[in-house]
Amino acid sequence: MATNRRNFIKKTGFLATASAFSPNILLSATKAKKEKLGVALVGLGYYSTDLLAPALQLTKNCELKGIVTGSPHKIPKWKKLYNIKDKNIYNYQNFEQIANNNEIDVIYIVLPPSMHSEYSIRAANTGKHVWCEKPMAPSVSECEAMIKACEVNKVKLAIGYRCQHDPNIQAYMKAAKEKPFGKVKMVSSAAGYFDGRSTHWKQKKSLGGGAMGDMGVYALQGARLATGEEPISVIAKTHTTRPEIYHEVEETVMFQLEFPSGALAACHTSFGIRMSHLQIDYEKGWIKIDPHWKYAGNKGSMSNGTIIDFPLESQQAKQMDDDAYSILNDMPMMVPGEEGLRDIRVVEAVFKSAAKNCEIKI
Ligand code: NAD
């Protein structure tokens, strides 16, 4: 960050003219280029509580400054744990007042998917940058509205695809660009876990539940990022072994993708089966990643003997530091809204294919 500040000073010629300014002007000018961005988490459920807030204690480019919650009983614990000031605590009704809070630069939406578009758009309208959890939203039209709102308000939008910040995942993303083993012929990608709950939002259609949006996007990203291409067609089928729970949303989905280069992908996702692997078969070799979508310990190997096993203290801290760095330096986000939208376009086609029992062109 010191380097960034030096670059900023160099770029603006700030030091040469600083003595001509009053101390107040000097203070506000330095404030304009913060060392660390203040983040407000919206929704204090499992992911915020167990992963994001602890990770924000490790970040260098951003810090936890605020919370937005509809559950007042959670506030004392968060205040105590993270030293959150009263003035930085909001609820879903007074959320827009964040617009006037200089300590908060980023609003991170960590709510059920059906609420992502409404809250991301409200966040963008406050003039703060927006981070939103995956899946971006249940529909393409909602994703497009989120992107538009951020463009109109001139704020940045990032989707919480933590894996794309993990060097172990970036290893095969790099292979998609450099093609060390020639063209991709086939990708096999699976992401699932056993969810024993029956009344959570993940089992409710109205809240954006279902395995496809939740875990299916990891299987899909495996195929998209391995080929570096967007699929042109899909054929999908859903399965349920627990119809008493999975009658509104899908428990298991199998989907096959075809890419413009001719590469094929067989993808699986489930709330009933633990799966976490990716295999990419190229013309002249292979890459295997197992586990593939975990918070820690993703690793793999390549047919030329290369081992993929980069250490990473916290995937979430890396993600938020990367995203804060991009904002601080006015760079494009590594995982922008458009990337979330690309997935949801395929997710919509998966559902259409499963419902019509036929191949869908994308
Ligand atoms: P959760 O159920 O534990 O928490 C959801 C939060 O939303 C709770 O604080 C709840 O009070 C609040 N909420 C507000 N209105 C609600 C409503 N009408 N119904 C239900 N909850 C409501 O869920 P979570 O696991 O923390 O997931 C939150 C988001 O984070 C989702 O988008 C999920 O996909 C995402 N997530 C991402 C990862 C990842 O690895 N990137 C991991 C887990 C969750």
Side-chain angles (χ1 to χ4, degrees):
M1 275 304 97
T3 323
N4 300 331
R5 182 126 130 235
R6 269 201 300 278
N7 286 345
F8 170 72
I9 289 167
K10 206 167 134 194
K11 218 165 129 188
T12 55
F14 187 71
L15 263 190
T17 48
S19 56
F21 292 111
S22 74
N24 276 349
I25 294 173
L26 186 63
L27 185 69
S28 62
T30 20
K31 254 175 135 182
K33 181 77 178 176
K34 283 188 177 181
E35 293 278 316
K36 277 187 166 199
L37 297 179
V39 177
L41 293 174
V42 184
L44 307 180
Y46 154 71
Y47 197 54
S48 284
T49 306
D50 287 21
L51 279 307
L52 296 176
L56 280 163
Q57 311 312 301
L58 305 172
T59 44
K60 297 176 188 72
N61 303 330
C62 55
E63 58 192 328
L64 180 59
K65 282 285 186 182
I67 50 174
V68 180
T69 180
S71 311
H73 70 273
K74 294 180 182 170
I75 294 173
K77 193 174 159 202
W78 278 74
K79 270 180 72 172
K80 194 166 164 222
L81 262 177
Y82 300 115
N83 202 17
I84 311 247
K85 295 177 191 163
D86 284 327
K87 75 175 190 68
N88 293 352
I89 300 173
Y90 298 87
N91 57 45
Y92 299 133
Q93 287 71 42
N94 66 14
F95 170 75
E96 270 79 7
Q97 291 171 16
I98 294 184
N100 306 317
N101 191 328
N102 288 335
E103 290 191 15
I104 294 170
D105 307 284
V106 177
I107 301 178
Y108 195 164
I109 311 301
V110 200
L111 293 164
S114 64
M115 301 171 78
H116 288 182
S117 62
E118 179 193 338
Y119 280 84
S120 294
I121 292 168
R122 286 174 68 184
N125 289 341
T126 68
K128 305 293 179 180
H129 300 289
V130 184
W131 296 346
C132 177
E133 256 318 308
K134 46 63 53 179
M136 185 168 172
S139 69
V140 164
S141 57
E142 286 167 282
C143 297
E144 288 171 342
M146 291 161 72
I147 293 170
K148 182 89 192 286
C150 290
E151 277 171 9
V152 167
N153 287 289
K154 298 189 169 45
V155 297
K156 294 193 189 279
L157 171 61
I159 307 302
Y161 277 127
R162 56 185 170 76
C163 288
Q164 291 200 30
H165 299 264
D166 182 331
N168 296 290
I169 305 300
Q170 287 169 347
Y172 72 80
M173 292 169 70
K174 191 164 169 249
K177 286 201 183 86
E178 296 175 0
K179 306 196 186 318
F181 306 116
K183 282 175 149 185
V184 175
K185 303 294 281 181
M186 170 64 85
V187 180
S188 311
S189 182
Y193 71 95
F194 185 85
D195 196 315
R197 297 171 290 193
S198 55
T199 56
H200 190 249
W201 61 260
K202 292 198 183 192
Q203 286 88 37
K204 293 187 180 143
K205 192 167 178 55
S206 62
L207 290 168
M212 187 61 216
D214 196 69
M215 299 305 296
V217 290
Y218 291 119
L220 169 59
Q221 291 235 326
R224 287 185 48 249
L225 302 178
T227 55
E229 298 177 47
E230 296 309 315
I232 50 173
S233 77
V234 59
I235 182 149
K237 195 162 173 23
T238 58
H239 300 263
T240 298
T241 55
R242 294 175 288 167
E244 68 285 6
I245 299 173
Y246 289 96
H247 45 87
E248 287 186 21
V249 297
E250 65 289 350
E251 183 185 24
T252 297
V253 189
M254 300 166 81
F255 55 104
Q256 288 176 34
L257 303 169
E258 191 187 336
F259 291 88
S261 63
L264 299 173
C267 305
H268 307 123
T269 188
S270 181
F271 275 161
I273 308 163
R274 198 216 74 85
M275 301 178 279
S276 179
H277 58 263
L278 175 76
Q279 171 148 347
I280 312 159
D281 287 297
Y282 303 84
E283 283 171 312
K284 292 175 278 182
W286 49 260
I287 297 180
K288 291 178 190 176
I289 309 283
D290 187 352
H292 175 227
W293 54 264
K294 296 286 186 184
Y295 295 146
N298 294 320
K299 57 180 192 286
S301 55
M302 300 189 186
S303 52
N304 62 6
T306 305
I307 299 295
I308 302 168
D309 193 6
F310 295 98
L312 183 61
E313 188 183 11
S314 160
Q315 220 178 37
Q316 285 81 5
K318 173 87 169 23
Q319 169 206 323
M320 293 187 282
D321 262 344
D322 285 349
D323 288 344
Y325 184 87
S326 297
I327 293 172
L328 283 163
N329 293 284
D330 197 19
M331 288 160 58
M333 304 307 291
M334 278 175 69
V335 189
E338 286 76 7
E339 176 69 355
L341 167 64
R342 286 192 270 272
D343 277 351
I344 299 306
R345 229 178 236 132
V346 182
V347 170
E348 278 194 351
V350 162
F351 289 140
K352 208 167 164 187
S353 170
K356 295 191 165 185
N357 200 17
C358 67
E359 184 180 346
I360 297 292
K361 301 281 178 206
I362 305 173

